[in-house]
Amino acid sequence: MSDRSAPPPSAAPPGATPAPREVVVALDAAGRSWRRAKRADDECLRLSTMGVEIEHGRVLRQPLRLGLGTISVGAVDPGPARAGSNEGRFPVLRRLGPTAVIPRSEGIEGWLWTSTGGSGLTMLGESDEAPNAAFVFAKPLSEDAVTRAFEPEFVTALAARSPLGVPTIHGLLFRVADALHAERAFARFGLERPLTDREVPPTLRRSLPTDRSADPIIRTGGDQRAAARSIAPPGFS
């Protein structure tokens, strides 16, 4: 019998590059949808150091693959699929500088989605379902990427809603099955950042009657001014 033994089947060959760690986030497919999913596992996000892969059997004919640098912000805002009247999701904060934004308690610049005004981003699912997760892109997806990945009927409907008649996607709104799991996954791959007016232009914001605009100058005691309070994005505190 030889003194040498073979490595276990799971061991990587010497010098091989380890496979990137992947985190799978299931999408919430419990509600109604634009199209019936082909399979239950057609609804998920796959995150790794190589990027994000979105599988959505109802609107995507092939997985949508995005580099991590494509996504400006990955946000989670937990809540039920049936939102109340005058409800907003994903508040847009005002940025003071590279490392500080005005806290939500001091006012906001709008929302990514409201129950009355919908959103300027693209929904994966029914428009009357409230999203609980979002990707805001650093720049819109190219027309080629959209037509290649999305179902033709969905692309046609998207182009019909665009002022220029071109299917434009500035970001995606969707529902995840486990909001906490999604939030941890976005943070792990550096996608969770404050959602501010730098990432969301005015044309993509929605408002509610109860909104209070963010004011960098916080007044106390009549005319006395106090320094603006701010919060730092993750990694800058």
Side-chain angles (χ1 to χ4, degrees):
M1 182 181 295
S2 174
D3 292 333
R4 293 175 295 176
S5 59
S10 59
T17 302
R21 295 290 299 274
E22 180 181 85
V23 175
V24 178
V25 176
L27 298 180
D28 184 359
R32 294 180 293 113
S33 63
W34 182 81
R35 285 186 58 182
R36 180 177 299 176
K38 301 170 187 174
R39 303 189 312 271
D41 60 355
D42 276 342
E43 314 282 320
C44 70
L45 312 175
R46 300 181 185 277
L47 299 95
S48 73
T49 55
M50 303 298 292
V52 177
E53 183 177 281
I54 304 175
E55 297 185 21
H56 196 287
R58 292 175 281 176
V59 299
L60 291 171
R61 56 179 174 175
Q62 68 180 42
L64 177 62
R65 296 178 174 87
L66 305 167
L68 294 179
T70 304
I71 302 172
S72 180
V73 177
V76 174
D77 195 347
R82 297 305 176 192
S85 60
N86 288 324
E87 181 175 343
R89 298 273 172 93
F90 312 101
V92 180
L93 307 179
R94 178 182 292 188
R95 184 175 291 279
L96 293 176
T99 64
V101 298
I102 298 177
R104 178 177 176 177
S105 60
E106 302 299 337
I108 62 173
E109 296 300 297
W111 309 84
L112 276 188
W113 179 94
T114 65
S115 57
T116 55
S119 177
L121 302 189
T122 300
M123 291 281 296
L124 297 181
E126 288 291 332
S127 59
D128 61 349
E129 288 183 348
N132 63 0
F135 285 150
V136 178
F137 298 150
K139 62 180 181 179
L141 297 184
S142 69
E143 185 177 356
D144 288 344
V146 174
T147 55
R148 184 171 58 250
F150 286 82
E151 293 282 1
E153 301 96 323
F154 190 83
V155 175
T156 300
L158 189 65
R161 295 192 298 269
S162 171
L164 300 179
V166 177
T168 304
I169 296 182
H170 297 274
L172 296 172
L173 296 173
F174 45 92
R175 286 196 60 80
V176 294
D178 187 334
L180 180 58
H181 177 55
E183 188 172 23
R184 289 172 174 169
F186 292 176
R188 176 176 178 178
F189 292 98
L191 300 177
E192 184 191 30
R193 306 180 185 95
L195 183 65
T196 75
D197 52 352
R198 295 276 184 89
E199 296 79 30
V200 185
T203 54
L204 297 181
R205 302 176 206 165
R206 299 295 182 266
S207 61
L208 293 171
T210 55
D211 288 348
R212 179 166 60 91
S213 180
D215 187 351
I217 303 299
I218 302 172
R219 300 177 184 274
T220 59
D223 294 333
Q224 184 181 2
R225 294 187 177 185
R229 290 171 287 173
S230 62
I231 55 176
F236 290 96
S237 57

